[in-house]
Amino acid sequence: MKNRALLGGFITLLLLFVSVNGEDPYIFFTWNVTYGDIYPLGVKQQGILINGQFPGPQIDTVTNNNLIINVFNSLDEPFLLSWNGIQQRRNSWQDGVYGTNCPIPPGRNFTYMLQVKDQIGSYFYFPSLALHKAAGGFGGIKILSRPRIPVPFDPPAGDYTILAGDWFKANHTDLKAILDSGHDLSFPDGILINGRGAYGNTFTVDQGKTYRFRISNVGLTTSFNFRIQGHMMKVVEVEGSHTLQNTYSSLDVHLGQSYSVLVTADQPPQDYYIVVSSRFTNPVLTSNAILHYSNSARGVSGPPPGGPTIQIDWSLNQARSIRWNLTASGPRPNPQGSYHYGMIPISRTIRLANSAPVINNKQRYAVNSVSYIPADTPLKVADFYNIQGIFTVGSIPDNPTGGGGYLQTSVMGADFRTYVEVVFENSEDTVQSWHIDGYSMFVVGMDGGQWTTASRQNYNLRDTVARCTVQVYPKSWTAVYMALDNVGMWNVRSENWARQYLGQQFYLRVYSPANSWRDEYPIPRNALLCGRASGRRTRPF
């Protein structure tokens, strides 16, 4: 009788789980990852293709949909995909970085099972191991609102994705060898727009209609400025947050960031330049695409419009002008501004300073003097099986040390449901870009000079935007607020991929002692196990 009662209880729970989640559709993808010849800058390279495509297929989905993505690795080396900005609620198992997942071995497959829980907006996916990102393997992610959730603008006549970024002519294996030898990468060779060089893309519009452009910086090392000749852009969404609808003639997009803009085809019928140019670099890299009016009587005319180059104040002021739309709905019908982020007491301040130490006669990059080195077993897997000697919680300090750099598998501990302030401090001469997996963060302040507690007096505690990737200007700081409401092992990294590869990252272990499925999903049945977890079992059901 006792066994029957237990079985009956389990069936009831299972039915309850199915009924709760039954309204959220499942979308299935099968992707084959292969090498292929690409010529993005006119030079033959070994690219990473998904189903023969470069960039890879776009994911079009709706809030709360479940995505089942079966990835076959047909490369000759291990492979992982990560999902830039997808929060993986209670499910860092699906994050697709080496700290949480064992790589997919050559000739094997792995099925990601993730839900775009309570999210809308524009994101992208990318290969997270080694320098695979320098060979392709990335693609756009578009999450639409549910049909009954109001959106603060009329439906556009079209929706275009632009994946732009700097590019190197060298193969990713050669770039990796340069970094492994202790040197930094050289200056990029060009800028790609949707996998092609200058004039490789045309976007067709009808005169008088309005279009949405989702712009992501998928590059390796460089911020860029985006502009369209003769047209203004209205920013409406940033990485899942609806924004005040300010208009701009050009827009800075830093590494790893995504924006949505509305563009109205309100000019005389002809073709116009779309321009992407590098920021804070000398020389300036530029690439062009074409905005083509369907009733165009002529091609592009005149020189492409110029944009900002090294002006930091211009970019800083623009960044401060990106604000939250307090009255708009997010993924749910309640207004975004109903979450009063500025009124929640801070329980902890974490200061993170980037640096570029030379360690063992090799160029490395660090956070609070710690240059991250991968362990032989993914940290999340080791944590689940309580495998000792892989990492130590607290192996990176909360504050800059001011000392020299050292190597460590760095993990910072944090408590579930705390509310923290994170200050990114940049004493270097280059712009930095930081991303935190599993979260959105409120960008409450950024300024030049050294951050102090007095800097809080100028924080925006009313309508700053929430996003997953934030820039830190040279000799400057950026402060964010975060509600640590997502249990898991989360990657905190530089979006400059050379810096990330050479140690400018760590993991944030957000921990709940409850050990409950309500707080975190258990290890997936299909989880790949490697390193010191090889041969173990996942779970029976």
Side-chain angles (χ1 to χ4, degrees):
M1 292 295 292
K2 183 177 180 181
N3 288 339
R4 286 185 180 181
L6 288 173
L7 179 61
F10 172 73
I11 292 174
T12 301
L13 286 173
L14 183 62
L15 290 174
L16 178 62
F17 179 80
V18 171
S19 66
V20 167
N21 290 273
E23 64 182 32
D24 299 325
Y26 283 76
I27 305 176
F28 296 86
F29 303 86
T30 300
W31 288 355
N32 186 28
V33 181
T34 62
Y35 294 122
D37 292 339
I38 58 174
Y39 302 80
L41 293 177
V43 175
K44 180 180 176 179
Q45 294 179 252
Q46 184 186 66
I48 293 179
L49 315 180
I50 299 180
N51 292 353
Q53 300 178 41
F54 169 66
Q58 176 159 301
I59 295 176
D60 293 330
T61 186
V62 176
T63 300
N64 286 2
N65 280 0
N66 297 279
L67 308 180
I68 311 299
I69 307 171
N70 191 5
V71 178
F72 288 84
N73 179 15
S74 297
L75 307 181
D76 60 3
E77 55 187 321
F79 184 79
L80 274 176
L81 282 174
S82 191
W83 322 90
N84 209 72
I86 303 305
Q87 294 181 9
Q88 314 289 1
R89 304 296 301 176
R90 299 185 293 162
N91 201 11
S92 64
W93 297 108
Q94 306 296 330
D95 202 28
V97 291
Y98 181 65
T100 58
N101 296 88
C102 291
I104 308 171
R108 294 274 303 278
N109 72 299
F110 176 73
T111 301
Y112 291 90
M113 293 175 284
L114 52 98
Q115 185 182 30
V116 288
K117 178 67 175 173
D118 289 336
Q119 286 192 262
I120 58 167
S122 310
Y123 310 94
F124 62 91
Y125 61 86
F126 68 97
S128 61
L129 289 183
L131 267 292
H132 288 164
K133 191 179 179 185
F138 49 76
I141 302 175
K142 177 174 68 177
I143 308 177
L144 298 177
S145 297
R146 288 183 164 188
R148 295 184 180 181
I149 304 299
V151 176
F153 49 87
D154 293 333
D159 195 321
Y160 289 118
T161 293
I162 291 182
L163 304 174
D166 57 6
W167 190 260
F168 293 81
K169 291 180 180 179
N171 284 344
H172 72 283
T173 52
D174 296 329
L175 297 176
K176 179 177 178 293
I178 292 171
L179 295 178
D180 288 339
S181 68
H183 298 90
D184 201 355
L185 299 181
S186 60
F187 193 70
D189 295 299
I191 288 179
L192 301 188
I193 301 173
N194 289 354
R196 298 183 178 182
Y199 304 104
N201 292 272
T202 298
F203 301 90
T204 300
V205 297
D206 294 333
Q207 192 172 28
K209 295 183 178 179
T210 298
Y211 295 80
R212 184 172 184 170
F213 286 81
R214 300 172 186 263
I215 309 157
S216 293
N217 187 335
V218 296
L220 297 180
T221 64
T222 308
S223 302
F224 68 68
N225 181 266
F226 180 89
R227 52 200 181 273
I228 302 177
Q229 182 185 25
H231 293 73
M232 298 297 289
M233 299 177 291
K234 183 183 293 184
V235 174
V236 294
E237 177 257 330
V238 174
E239 295 160 16
S241 293
H242 289 305
T243 64
L244 290 182
Q245 296 179 14
N246 297 328
T247 56
Y248 303 89
S249 59
S250 69
L251 187 66
D252 277 356
V253 185
H254 302 278
L255 287 164
Q257 292 186 339
S258 298
Y259 286 83
S260 280
V261 301
L262 297 180
V263 178
T264 300
D266 55 4
Q267 298 300 304
Q270 65 174 66
D271 291 355
Y272 296 88
Y273 292 105
I274 297 174
V275 183
V276 177
S277 61
S278 61
R279 286 287 267 125
F280 318 114
T281 66
N282 184 18
V284 175
L285 296 172
T286 301
S287 188
N288 301 319
I290 300 297
L291 185 73
H292 171 69
Y293 278 54
S294 59
N295 60 340
S296 175
R298 53 184 293 189
V300 293
S301 61
T309 54
I310 61 172
Q311 302 91 330
I312 294 174
D313 286 347
W314 185 96
S315 187
L316 174 62
N317 289 331
Q318 182 180 85
R320 288 170 171 165
S321 71
I322 307 293
R323 302 293 184 90
W324 222 20
N325 187 334
L326 298 182
T327 61
S329 299
R332 297 187 180 188
N334 52 300
Q336 290 182 147
S338 61
Y339 183 79
H340 300 291
Y341 71 90
M343 300 177 66
I344 303 172
I346 296 297
S347 59
R348 178 181 178 186
T349 296
I350 301 169
R351 295 169 52 210
L352 303 175
N354 51 267
S355 60
V358 174
I359 303 175
N360 298 330
N361 296 318
K362 291 186 176 182
Q363 179 65 67
R364 297 286 301 186
Y365 296 98
V367 189
N368 288 357
S369 300
V370 186
S371 186
Y372 182 85
I373 51 173
D376 60 9
T377 305
L379 310 182
K380 183 64 183 170
V381 175
D383 204 19
F384 178 79
Y385 289 110
N386 195 27
I387 302 173
Q388 300 299 307
I390 304 294
F391 70 91
T392 301
V393 176
S395 48
I396 179 172
D398 278 20
N399 296 284
T401 67
Y406 59 96
L407 304 176
Q408 181 73 50
T409 303
S410 41
V411 176
M412 181 178 290
D415 293 329
F416 183 42
R417 293 190 177 133
T418 55
Y419 196 67
V420 301
E421 173 187 43
V422 181
V423 183
F424 299 100
E425 301 180 7
N426 177 19
S427 62
E428 298 184 70
D429 294 326
T430 57
V431 65
Q432 305 292 311
S433 188
W434 287 93
H435 177 90
I436 301 181
D437 282 353
Y439 287 94
S440 218
M441 44 189 170
F442 290 95
V443 188
V444 293
M446 56 175 62
D447 207 347
Q450 179 64 49
W451 180 88
T452 67
T453 55
S455 303
R456 294 173 179 147
Q457 297 174 10
N458 295 317
Y459 280 3
N460 178 355
L461 299 182
R462 181 177 182 271
D463 65 350
T464 193
V465 73
R467 63 188 314 166
C468 59
T469 309
V470 65
Q471 72 273 24
V472 191
Y473 293 101
K475 308 291 185 181
S476 300
W477 57 267
T478 295
V480 303
Y481 282 178
M482 290 174 55
L484 298 184
D485 57 359
N486 198 10
V487 173
M489 186 78 72
W490 303 107
N491 190 225
V492 181
R493 63 175 176 267
S494 170
E495 285 287 344
N496 180 310
W497 219 242
R499 284 179 168 263
Q500 179 271 349
Y501 180 75
L502 291 179
Q504 196 168 305
Q505 62 170 310
F506 66 94
Y507 282 83
L508 183 69
R509 181 181 182 260
V510 180
Y511 176 72
S512 169
N515 194 26
S516 166
W517 285 21
R518 183 180 62 182
D519 296 339
E520 184 180 26
Y521 293 137
I523 189 171
R525 291 182 61 191
N526 69 328
L528 299 173
L529 299 179
C530 58
R532 287 185 245 175
S534 296
R536 297 178 183 247
R537 293 186 177 184
T538 53
R539 56 190 176 94
F541 56 85

